[in-house]
Amino acid sequence: MTSLAIAKCAVTDHTTTEHPSASGPGQTVLRVERLGKIFGDQNPAAVAHTGPDAGTEKSPDGNSVVAAWDVSFDVAAGEAFGVIGESGSGKSTVMRAIAGDHSSTAGSVWMQRRDGSTVDLLTMTASERRALRVDELSVVYQDAAEGLDLGVTAGGNIADRLTAAGWRNFGQIRERAAELLGRTEVPLERMDDLVRTFSGGMRQRVQLARALANRPPIVLLDEPTTGLDASVAAGVLDLIRSLLEELGIAAVVVSHDFAVIEMLTTRCMVMQHGRVVEQGLTDQLFEDPQAPYTQRLVAAARA
Amino acid sequence: MRETTMTPSSNDVATPTQATVEIEMTKNQLSDESSAVLSVRGLHKHFVLHNVDGRRVESLNGIDLDVRAGEHIALAGSSGAGKSTLLKCIYRTYLPSAGTVTLRSPIGPVELTGLADAKLAAIRGREFGYVSQFLRAEPRRGALDIVARAGIARGMDKETATEAAAVSLRRLHLDESLWDVFASVLSGGEKQRVNLAAGTISPPQLLLLDEPVSALDPANREAALALIADLTATGVAVLAVFHDLDAMDRLASRVVVMRAGRIIESGPPDQVLHHLEGVAR
């Protein structure tokens, strides 16, 4: 892991001014190496009988699902990397492996930490992972119920993140929560309403505010606008792009939607049946796709 | 029809004049490589359409071309000749099939066709830019903001970028009342001017222009052409595709004619353009 550049970075302070991540541009902050995940029987023989050529991610005996195999990519500081594919392609599996929502079968996920050290996320314990999620690696889920406590107020959901990072002063917490909700365009008068009473678009905005509360250098976004009305989705997308750009946050964006990947990312990869079929610059991948599968996907999206 | 220069050399019996021009052009085009901002060599592009019986479409068949600082090269030829494909292969929106594209940047020569995606992404826009026919409208962003951000992305500070953006938009006659309106609701011609302003603010050393004034009415087109002419005057290397001969005549230091993915002719506009009527349109 020598090629991961190391940058010294200030410990989280509690000021409210935003600044880009301390890692310089171009430095790799996340590197996924030959990641693999098999559900069911952990039978390595299943790998050979699955994937795009086999036309399935399920092993012939039906006891193993090779949800992702041999997945590698890296993300530089401030860069957004896209993962695109249909249902069952393995894109969410990859995201959940990085997030630590489930264990992985193979590979490594190297991440550069705030203190400059580099760690393989897959070797960390569950409690170490939880600590990481507080202020170094945030996740925004398609279903807000996964990223938020719906029975708590919008402000409370954010305060929860702030206190986990060591904030103690009530006034400062309120102030920071209000500032974050302002940034994500949630009306301040709704700060003390339960998230359950929020619309889908508003819930995603609260999720974003919570995810960004402690200014993580890396955010994972899993279908962040899927299920929202088109006009609402456009607003949330635009907000995500502005925030990533202004805060210099690196992101992994997982989506089945070409428009989302095109708008948010500069590089991306295409997955099918648990494997990467193509990787490239986002505009090149959409204008000059090489793999037959990608050509079909692009043609379908343009039709 | 007077043939000025042909590459590769035609089978016609060369008159002394023609031979001289040919040698000069070859020298001009290829020998002084070190001073060129962009050098394209043996560039080929074919598409394989896997979903149309694996059909293979040859689009570029060996392109050699240099573009120097302060030089404006206009690509001419009928549609399908490969003009836009060439621009897109240089920018690598299309993946070249063979050949090299060398950009001489301040940090040294960079061969673009083999550059890692992340490295290419890092120099795109900064070291060389691509201005398309259309603005890819950012849903909730105003014209001034879009242009200023483009300047900031090329290293300007916010204040300077905003000032430069205002100057450029004013110059392109974009009504000031539209500057903070979301660009997605602007007309085609307005969007195109925003796009041109964003593409040319604090310009990189090389600009690829793909029909950048196609949607403009005569008055606005005038202003846009003047802005593009100034790029050349300040030393930017320009490789452009225009559909009208008048724009090429006014802007180009050299016109390069393409047909079927090859360069068939190259020379100064006054020598090339007059017999191109009906070919370049």
Side-chain angles (χ1 to χ4, degrees):
Chain A
M1 205 47 229
T2 47
S3 53
L4 251 192
I6 304 302
K8 281 283 174 221
C9 169
V11 190
T12 327
D13 59 29
H14 291 172
T15 58
T16 50
T17 44
E18 305 285 2
H19 57 77
S21 153
S23 319
Q27 293 181 327
T28 302
V29 291
L30 188 74
R31 172 166 293 156
V32 175
E33 280 178 352
R34 313 205 68 173
L35 182 71
K37 171 68 178 176
I38 302 177
F39 289 101
D41 284 358
Q42 297 297 299
N43 177 9
V47 172
H49 298 103
T50 58
D53 293 339
T56 178
E57 55 275 11
K58 208 165 179 180
S59 66
D61 64 8
N63 295 328
S64 309
V65 173
V66 183
W69 202 257
D70 204 14
V71 176
S72 300
F73 63 93
D74 50 33
V75 187
E79 184 192 29
F81 183 87
V83 183
I84 192 161
E86 298 168 304
S87 322
S89 64
K91 59 191 193 302
S92 288
T93 299
V94 169
M95 203 222 65
R96 286 175 186 277
I98 301 169
D101 291 338
H102 57 55
S103 66
S104 294
T105 310
S108 310
V109 178
W110 299 99
M111 177 187 159
Q112 184 185 291
R113 303 205 59 176
R114 277 188 193 276
D115 64 7
S117 64
T118 299
V119 64
D120 180 0
L121 301 184
L122 302 188
T123 64
M124 292 173 92
T125 64
S127 68
E128 285 171 331
R129 288 291 207 116
R130 273 193 299 279
L132 199 75
R133 291 278 288 269
V134 170
D135 66 349
E136 298 196 67
L137 179 74
S138 284
V139 186
V140 174
Y141 294 95
Q142 175 181 354
D143 180 1
E146 275 195 81
L148 296 172
D149 189 336
L150 300 186
V152 172
T153 64
N157 266 291
I158 296 167
D160 173 55
R161 262 304 159 86
L162 295 173
T163 51
W167 291 56
R168 291 292 172 262
N169 180 297
F170 180 76
Q172 282 177 2
I173 291 175
R174 290 282 298 178
E175 201 181 311
R176 172 73 176 154
E179 186 210 340
L180 284 160
L181 290 172
R183 279 300 276 276
T184 57
E185 299 161 6
V186 176
L188 274 192
E189 64 267 23
R190 302 221 53 191
M191 182 167 165
D192 297 317
D193 291 352
L194 298 184
V195 173
R196 180 166 291 127
T197 68
F198 283 46
S199 67
M202 278 299 155
R203 288 180 187 188
Q204 289 311 66
R205 290 169 196 276
V206 176
Q207 245 205 115
L208 271 174
R210 177 178 152 100
L212 300 177
N214 296 311
R215 276 181 264 141
I218 303 173
V219 176
L220 310 177
L221 300 150
D222 187 13
E223 301 275 9
T225 57
T226 302
L228 303 179
D229 289 344
S231 61
V232 177
V236 173
L237 260 189
D238 192 63
L239 174 68
I240 291 172
R241 190 170 65 164
S242 302
L243 289 169
L244 293 180
E245 204 176 285
E246 280 157 30
L247 304 179
I249 295 173
V252 177
V253 184
V254 170
S255 184
H256 72 284
D257 186 343
F258 277 73
V260 171
I261 300 293
E262 250 183 317
M263 180 150 168
L264 294 179
T265 71
T266 48
R267 293 189 300 128
C268 67
M269 66 185 192
V270 180
M271 290 190 70
Q272 183 196 20
H273 296 308
R275 311 298 157 87
V276 178
V277 293
E278 190 166 352
Q279 189 173 146
L281 291 156
T282 303
D283 63 323
Q284 180 257 303
L285 219 128
F286 290 164
E287 289 211 36
D288 186 18
Q290 306 291 306
Y293 175 71
T294 317
Q295 291 189 356
R296 272 206 308 282
L297 265 192
V298 170
R302 297 253 155 93
Chain B
M1 183 168 114
R2 186 178 131 211
E3 303 210 316
T4 24
T5 54
M6 297 286 288
T7 46
S9 43
S10 70
N11 295 327
D12 297 353
V13 180
T15 62
T17 333
Q18 190 180 336
T20 317
V21 176
E22 208 165 282
I23 290 162
E24 271 175 8
M25 188 217 67
T26 309
K27 226 161 73 183
N28 184 33
Q29 193 172 308
L30 298 176
S31 71
D32 197 10
E33 198 177 296
S34 59
S35 71
V37 174
L38 178 78
S39 296
V40 177
R41 291 293 176 273
L43 196 66
H44 284 259
K45 173 62 184 172
H46 65 260
F47 295 89
V48 179
L49 311 178
H50 292 289
N51 304 311
V52 193
D53 310 324
R55 185 179 301 162
R56 189 179 152 113
V57 179
E58 305 286 344
S59 292
L60 295 179
N61 295 300
I63 300 289
D64 295 316
L65 184 69
D66 284 333
V67 191
R68 272 174 285 277
E71 191 177 30
H72 179 124
I73 294 186
L75 295 172
S78 51
S79 47
K83 309 183 298 285
S84 286
T85 301
L86 175 56
L87 294 189
K88 287 186 174 182
C89 279
I90 294 168
Y91 202 59
R92 234 179 74 185
T93 294
Y94 290 164
L95 219 51
S97 309
T100 60
V101 175
T102 306
L103 179 73
R104 279 175 195 80
S105 77
I107 49 164
V110 189
E111 205 284 295
L112 301 178
T113 65
L115 200 62
D117 293 336
K119 286 187 175 149
L120 188 70
I123 62 167
R124 266 182 168 188
R126 293 185 74 97
E127 301 295 337
F128 69 124
Y130 176 81
V131 181
S132 69
Q133 192 170 356
F134 305 107
L135 173 71
R136 292 187 56 201
E138 314 183 43
R140 300 189 310 163
R141 219 158 258 175
L144 187 69
D145 192 22
I146 289 173
V147 180
R149 276 169 190 270
I152 292 166
R154 294 202 194 99
M156 294 174 111
D157 65 60
K158 197 177 174 190
E159 202 180 327
T160 318
T162 308
E163 271 171 34
V167 168
S168 182
L169 289 176
R170 203 169 285 133
R171 195 170 168 193
L172 292 170
H173 306 152
L174 189 77
D175 197 301
E176 216 157 315
S177 65
L178 298 175
W179 288 9
D180 58 354
V181 174
F182 291 155
S184 49
V185 304
L186 298 179
S187 75
E190 287 158 355
K191 278 184 192 164
Q192 194 165 59
R193 281 176 281 156
V194 174
N195 196 42
L196 182 61
T200 55
I201 186 173
S202 181
Q205 55 179 346
L206 171 70
L207 275 178
L208 310 166
L209 309 180
D210 198 351
E211 298 271 16
V213 299
S214 59
L216 303 187
D217 58 35
N220 289 319
R221 184 173 164 280
E222 256 335 280
L225 293 185
L227 183 126
I228 294 168
D230 278 5
L231 292 172
T232 319
T234 55
V236 175
V238 176
L239 183 58
V241 175
F242 290 99
H243 70 279
D244 63 308
L245 299 181
D246 173 64
M248 291 185 224
D249 189 32
R250 288 173 50 185
L251 297 174
S253 21
R254 189 150 60 95
V255 175
V256 167
V257 186
M258 292 180 70
R259 185 192 295 156
R262 287 189 175 85
I263 292 176
I264 56 162
E265 189 177 359
S266 166
D270 58 343
Q271 290 178 32
V272 175
L273 286 176
H274 72 277
H275 64 267
L276 270 188
E277 302 281 348
V279 176
R281 290 179 192 266

